[in-house]
Each structure stands twice: as structure tokens, then as C-alpha cells.
């Protein structure tokens, strides 16, 4: 496997423009064909041209095709000079299995472009940060419920995604403050389960000097405790500048343990942000500068690259 590199500075991909070509690939779990079709149609309604990966509807057990096929689709989309953005169809599981199959040198040579996805796609966000030095969007995916339900997309989700892709989205506002304060720093993180699973790999979380986004789904509070404890003990959270906590759908009440584990770090912590698996599902640019303001309980993003790479 190629040794990880950390280009400096991080590159923030250009905003999309109407008429841009975007590719939808499935590096994780298999998407539902009808949802995928509705999601692709929605992207076209935003003024984008859409292509899908050759293996996007493959199925290999709980994966969207073989590891080689999923990696090939992702790499082909990223390296296609006509493609301005790569959107992951859905999460599930499988992204970590393709990381060692990608030709990172070829992908670096292809230059920066937009990557969008969440949940299991956290593995790609971390790897693209470490290996390519590119900022990427943690946000809704075309074959997931907030964009592809039969009754139509969730309005705030779609509005915020469109603003993220074509301009500058509004701040993401939460509903509770765990530790007050204000801080500006690059944003990193994503799905807690994936961040814990990446400990000890070349793509592990490095929180020093950064705002850490955390969210998860269907994890009991004791499991959240275990995973945050793992990140703390591994050193992954050393020097974190602040925490922005997203949705915790079907996780019981996670806030007592989140407070217990994060409050001693004495950095700003805001919570209840509609980011992750809930509805609405707003978008956050990982790798770029962001700002936590506990007074407004908000995370404001920017299209500005930090001085040093994540």
C-alpha cells in the first residue's frame, strides 16, 4: 500500500455550475434501484448532468459488488476529467475495503473535485484528506431517504445541499450547548463508528487544532462511550479545538455520556446539529475552516482552506 501523504494546504474544490457532469457511484452498500433513479433525477433537476458507475447496481452480499468493482467505479469517476463531482449513492458498509485498492497517485494527478457522502463514506473522507489533501462534503446521498423518498426530497436537506454544491450554505444550528465558547478551526470527523474503526490505520482521525464533527445511528449509549473512549485512549482526540455533535438517531439518550467524556476536554461543544442520519440532513465541508459559536449554537462553514492539511 502507498504510504499516506498530507499535501499542504488542503484544496477546497470549486463550486459546481449548472451543466457540470457528476458521477454517482456505490463504494459501500447496494442502493435500491428506484431510490437511485429518483436521486439521479433530482440532481438533474438541479441542473447537473448525471452518470452512474458501471457497477452501481451490482450486489455482493451486503456490498454493492466486489471490492475491485467498487474501487474501479470510484477511481474511474474521480480520474475522469469531465466529472466535476463524485456522489456516493448510499452508506451501509464497504468503503474501508476499497481504500487499499485505489491508485492514489493516479487520483492525485487527476486533481481536486467534489466528493459527497456520509455515514460509511467517512472512511473515504478521511482517506481523501490524508492521501489527496482535498476537502469533501459530509452530506446527504442520492439513494437515501432524505433525497429519494417517493413523496419527494426533504426540503431543508435539498436546499442546503444545493447551496453547498453551488455556493455557500447557511450555518448549521444545533439545539444544545454542552460547553460554551467560540472557536475557528478546520473541521474533521464524521461517523463515530467509522472513526473508531479507523484507529491504527493510515487514515485515523487527527483532531489536533480541529473542530471534530461526530454523529451516529442505532448505537446504545454504552457503545458510544466505548468508541469515544477508544478515540481518547488512542490519542485521536488530543488537542481537539471543539466538537460539533450531529444526530444520534435511535441511540437512546446519548447526551449524558457525551457530556461526561467531552466536557473534561474544556473546549467548545455544541450538539443537536441536523447532520448525519436524521431529518433534515444538512451538509458540512470537512477539511475547510469552520467556526463554532456556542451563543448561537451554530457551526458555520467556509470555502477557505486551512494553512495546514488535515
Amino acid at each position: 500500500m502507498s504510504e499516506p501523504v498530507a499535501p499542504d494546504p488542503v484544496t477546497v474544490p470549486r463550486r459546481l455550475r449548472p451543466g457540470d457532469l457528476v458521477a454517482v457511484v456505490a463504494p459501500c452498500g447496494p442502493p435500491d434501484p428506484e431510490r437511485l433513479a429518483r436521486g439521479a433525477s433530482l440532481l438533474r433537476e438541479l441542473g447537473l448532468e448525471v452518470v452512474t458507475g458501471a457497477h452501481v447496481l451490482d450486489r455482493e452480499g451486503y456490498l454493492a459488488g466486489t471490492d475491485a468493482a467498487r474501487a474501479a467505479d470510484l477511481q474511474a469517476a474521480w480520474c475522469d476529467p469531465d466529472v466535476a463531482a463524485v456522489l456516493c449513492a448510499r452508506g451501509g458498509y464497504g468503503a474501508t475495503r476499497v481504500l487499499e485498492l485505489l491508485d492514489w497517485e493516479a487520483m492525485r494527478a487527476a486533481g481536486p473535485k467534489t466528493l459527497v457522502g456520509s455515514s460509511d463514506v467517512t472512511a473515504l473522507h478521511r482517506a481523501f484528506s490524508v492521501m489527496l489533501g482535498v476537502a469533501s462534503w459530509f452530506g446527504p446521498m442520492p439513494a437515501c431517504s432524505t433525497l429519494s423518498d417517493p413523496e419527494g426530497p426533504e426540503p431543508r436537506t435539498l436546499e442546503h445541499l444545493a447551496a453547498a454544491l453551488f455556493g455557500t450554505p447557511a450555518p448549521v444550528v444545533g439545539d444544545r450547548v454542552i460547553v460554551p465558547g467560540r472557536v475557528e478551526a478546520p473541521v474533521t470527523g464524521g461517523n463515530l463508528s467509522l472513526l473508531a474503526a479507523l484507529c491504527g490505520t493510515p487514515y485515523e482521525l487527527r483532531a489536533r487544532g480541529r473542530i471534530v464533527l461526530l454523529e451516529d445511528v442505532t448505537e446504545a449509549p454504552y457503545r458510544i462511550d466505548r468508541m469515544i473512549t477508544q478515540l481518547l485512549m488512542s490519542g485521536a482526540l488530543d488537542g481537539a479545538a471543539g466538537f460539533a455533535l450531529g444526530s444520534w438517531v435511535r441511540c437512546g439518550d446519548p447526551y449524558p455520556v457525551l457530556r461526561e467524556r467531552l466536557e473534561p476536554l474544556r473546549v467548545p461543544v455544541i450538539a443537536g446539529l441536523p447532520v448525519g442520519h436524521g431529518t433534515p440532513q444538512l451538509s458540512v465541508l470537512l477539511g475547510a475552516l469552520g467556526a463554532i459559536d456556542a451563543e448561537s449554537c451554530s457551526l458555520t462553514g467556509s470555502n477557505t482552506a486551512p494553512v495546514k492539511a488535515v
Side-chain angles (χ1 to χ4, degrees), residues 13-310:
R14 70 165 176 84
R15 297 174 177 88
L16 298 187
R17 297 184 286 263
D20 274 342
L21 179 66
V22 302
V24 179
V25 299
C28 311
D32 174 85
E34 292 184 1
R35 284 193 176 278
L36 180 64
R38 285 194 293 266
S41 177
L42 184 66
L43 295 173
R44 294 187 181 99
E45 291 174 14
L46 293 178
L48 299 167
E49 299 294 326
V50 182
V51 294
T52 55
H55 302 280
V56 72
L57 292 178
D58 286 4
R59 180 181 287 269
E60 185 85 5
Y62 45 75
L63 301 169
T66 65
D67 293 346
R70 287 179 290 114
D73 274 6
L74 175 59
Q75 182 166 316
W78 193 263
C79 292
D80 186 336
D82 294 326
V83 170
V86 177
L87 290 85
C88 299
R90 58 156 293 188
Y93 170 71
T96 51
R97 292 178 53 150
V98 308
L99 298 182
E100 293 188 340
L101 301 180
L102 297 171
D103 184 340
W104 293 109
E105 184 175 349
M107 294 175 71
R108 279 194 291 274
K113 58 188 64 178
T114 298
L115 174 72
V116 183
S118 55
S119 192
D120 190 65
V121 182
T122 297
L124 297 182
H125 289 303
R126 288 300 311 142
F128 278 44
S129 174
V130 171
M131 302 300 287
L132 304 180
V134 64
S136 52
W137 285 100
F138 190 90
M141 296 172 284
C144 289
S145 60
T146 50
L147 294 182
S148 65
D149 271 352
E151 58 269 26
E154 196 284 315
R156 283 186 62 196
T157 301
L158 178 60
E159 179 183 11
H160 204 261
L161 175 64
L165 294 178
F166 295 103
T168 302
V172 181
V173 179
D175 62 14
R176 67 190 72 195
V177 175
I178 294 178
V179 181
R182 191 184 190 283
V183 65
E184 180 177 289
V187 183
T188 188
N191 179 263
L192 175 60
S193 296
L194 268 293
L195 295 172
L198 290 170
C199 281
T201 75
Y203 319 105
E204 64 187 354
L205 177 66
R206 297 176 235 166
R208 185 169 299 279
R210 292 163 177 83
I211 293 168
V212 181
L213 171 70
L214 296 175
E215 64 83 30
D216 221 316
V217 62
T218 60
E219 297 288 356
Y222 80 91
R223 293 170 62 89
I224 292 171
D225 185 342
R226 185 185 68 199
M227 290 184 284
I228 290 181
T229 300
Q230 181 180 4
L231 293 177
L232 288 166
M233 294 179 68
S234 73
L237 298 182
D238 287 358
F243 291 86
L245 306 180
S247 63
W248 303 91
V249 176
R250 299 189 299 279
C251 290
D253 181 5
Y255 291 110
V257 69
L258 289 168
R259 178 181 293 275
E260 178 190 3
R261 303 307 282 147
L262 299 179
E263 194 173 44
L265 301 182
R266 299 183 179 181
V267 296
V269 182
I270 59 173
L273 281 69
V275 176
H277 287 82
T279 300
Q281 185 182 2
L282 307 189
S283 303
V284 173
L285 185 57
L286 301 178
L289 288 172
I292 286 175
D293 182 358
E295 185 173 347
S296 59
C297 196
S298 65
L299 174 65
T300 302
S302 75
N303 291 312
T304 303
V307 175
K308 293 185 178 181
V310 176

